[in-house]
Amino acid sequence: MRADRLVSLVLLLRQHGRLSATALARELEVSPRTVLRDVEALSAAGVPVYAERGRHGGFALLPGFRTELTGLSHDEALALLVAGSRRGAQAFGLGAALASAMRKVVDALPENQRATAAGAAQRLLVEPETDLLARRLTAEEVPDTVVAEIRRAVFAGHRLRIRYAAVDRAPKWRTVDPIGLVTVRGQGYLLATRSGADRTYRLSRVLAARELDQPAQRPERVDLDRLWQERSTRFRTGGDQVTVVLRLDPARREELAGTALTVVAADEPGGDGRVRLRVTFQDAQHAEWALWRLGRHAEALAPQWLRDSLRDRAAAIAAHYGTPSEAPPDGGEESGAAG
């Protein structure tokens, strides 16, 4: 790990000319003290790093110094393969490798092309953290140690033990045959089989993982795109699906489409501008959750049980907040009110 960091430090100095210890620490995700130790190690190894003091000082390399240490590591090569989506690299635990790989790519360019490449990169933004409706699209956090173990098993073709926390169930160990990894909207999934049956596991729910020294029972070649399409189709068409007829503020249609299985317009907008839609949800709980999130921007017209459930839920909330709260005996300090 330190060798990779030393190479990255050299490449950063080559590309930026001069950087402070604080800036280097931020780029390398270490402390400024670690940067100082790394600079001392580079100097001892004969790399001409020198310090410039003053307000705009920092560390720099002697002019003309060039290194050939630009070979990509295994993880960096993998990161470039998924670099079409930075979220994909993050979901698979390859975010740091991607940053390191891109520094090496830039360093490998001819000197007269570096500025052009850097300028072009500033003109492109892939999958920002928020969309046009200011909704934050955050990638799920998965411990690097967990996703690294899963990656190793997938690439080596070995069986895998995972401690998985399914929704509303206690975590449980499972032995699976991993097939591949998929990322969708910042969420990572492990496609596998268990006792011959297809299984799809969300990476953020894997609490621990251990690669086994046993070959996985899986085909030699796989079309992950086709496999994902098949599994997502089974998910959408399986279970106790619920169809809801509702009226919706058109401004919230995209939000609804992001959670529902299908959304079909039933007729043209009415006099109040709302659209009538026929929407399919995975089950009753999914339907109630989605409609509750939309609040007064949506009205369920059918089925009646959903209207009743939303009404009862709203009534319970109203009753809860309709009664005066008990004031803290010390005059309100517990509420956080400023004096």
Side-chain angles (χ1 to χ4, degrees):
M1 286 294 295
R2 192 188 186 198
D4 287 342
R5 190 174 69 240
L6 293 176
V7 172
S8 293
L9 194 156
V10 172
L11 296 179
L12 283 168
L13 293 179
R14 278 183 43 76
Q15 292 161 20
H16 295 279
R18 182 192 304 111
L19 287 172
S20 67
T22 301
L24 286 167
R26 184 171 55 250
E27 289 286 342
L28 298 172
E29 299 181 353
V30 296
S31 68
R33 180 173 295 182
T34 298
V35 169
L36 295 178
R37 288 199 297 265
D38 287 348
V39 168
E40 291 179 0
L42 288 172
S43 296
V47 178
V49 183
Y50 67 96
E52 291 187 356
R53 306 196 179 276
R55 181 179 178 184
H56 301 291
F59 295 102
L61 295 167
L62 286 177
F65 175 77
R66 181 168 181 81
T67 176
E68 298 302 323
L69 297 177
T70 55
L72 296 179
S73 71
H74 179 259
D75 279 356
E76 289 166 349
L78 288 174
L80 287 178
L81 290 175
V82 298
S85 166
R86 186 176 182 85
R87 294 186 182 278
Q90 296 290 351
F92 297 147
L94 293 166
L98 175 59
S100 176
M102 295 312 293
R103 283 194 290 267
K104 292 182 179 181
V105 169
V106 171
D107 189 74
L109 292 173
E111 190 167 353
N112 61 348
Q113 294 183 21
R114 288 180 202 152
T116 302
Q122 294 175 3
R123 305 291 177 178
L124 300 172
L125 178 62
V126 179
E127 293 195 36
E129 291 187 353
T130 59
D131 62 13
L132 288 176
L133 297 178
R135 295 175 303 187
R136 191 170 181 82
L137 306 175
T138 55
E140 294 181 325
E141 295 294 331
V142 184
D144 289 345
T145 54
V146 171
V147 75
E149 194 75 7
I150 294 173
R151 281 203 321 266
R152 282 194 291 269
V154 170
F155 299 143
H158 289 167
R159 305 191 83 186
L160 182 68
R161 285 277 288 170
I162 59 174
R163 188 166 184 262
Y164 191 73
V167 179
D168 298 328
R169 296 182 185 177
K172 183 179 179 181
W173 283 98
R174 297 168 167 85
T175 300
V176 301
D177 295 296
I179 295 174
L181 293 165
V182 177
T183 178
V184 181
R185 294 176 61 84
Q187 298 175 356
Y189 298 89
L190 167 66
L191 273 57
T193 60
R194 183 176 171 219
S195 301
D198 290 347
R199 292 291 185 269
T200 302
Y201 300 100
R202 197 156 166 169
L203 292 184
S204 61
R205 294 177 184 156
V206 179
L207 306 181
R210 181 164 59 88
E211 178 188 3
L212 302 180
D213 190 20
Q214 303 170 12
Q217 301 299 311
R218 65 181 190 180
E220 288 294 326
R221 301 184 62 85
V222 64
D223 184 343
L224 271 186
D225 186 55
R226 179 185 59 79
L227 190 60
W228 177 257
Q229 292 295 332
E230 291 175 353
R231 295 198 179 187
S232 61
T233 298
R234 286 202 299 269
F235 174 80
R236 291 194 304 270
T237 58
D240 302 321
Q241 291 188 357
V242 171
T243 299
V244 177
V245 178
L246 57 86
R247 293 169 63 248
L248 179 72
D249 181 343
R252 307 298 289 272
R253 180 164 180 168
E254 186 175 350
E255 179 179 349
L256 177 65
T259 60
L261 299 182
T262 62
V263 178
V264 179
D267 55 26
E268 295 297 323
D272 59 358
R274 296 196 168 197
V275 293
R276 185 182 175 100
L277 303 171
R278 183 177 295 274
V279 185
T280 304
F281 296 100
Q282 184 66 25
D283 52 31
Q285 184 179 8
H286 182 199
E288 184 174 348
W289 170 81
L291 270 292
W292 182 258
R293 284 185 62 195
L294 292 168
R296 296 175 59 189
H297 297 283
E299 179 189 359
L301 303 178
Q304 185 61 41
W305 64 261
L306 180 57
R307 287 179 60 88
D308 294 342
S309 179
L310 291 169
R311 180 201 61 216
D312 294 345
R313 187 173 183 178
I317 294 292
H320 180 72
Y321 285 101
T323 57
S325 61
E326 294 183 5
D330 55 5
E333 288 185 6
E334 291 185 4
S335 65

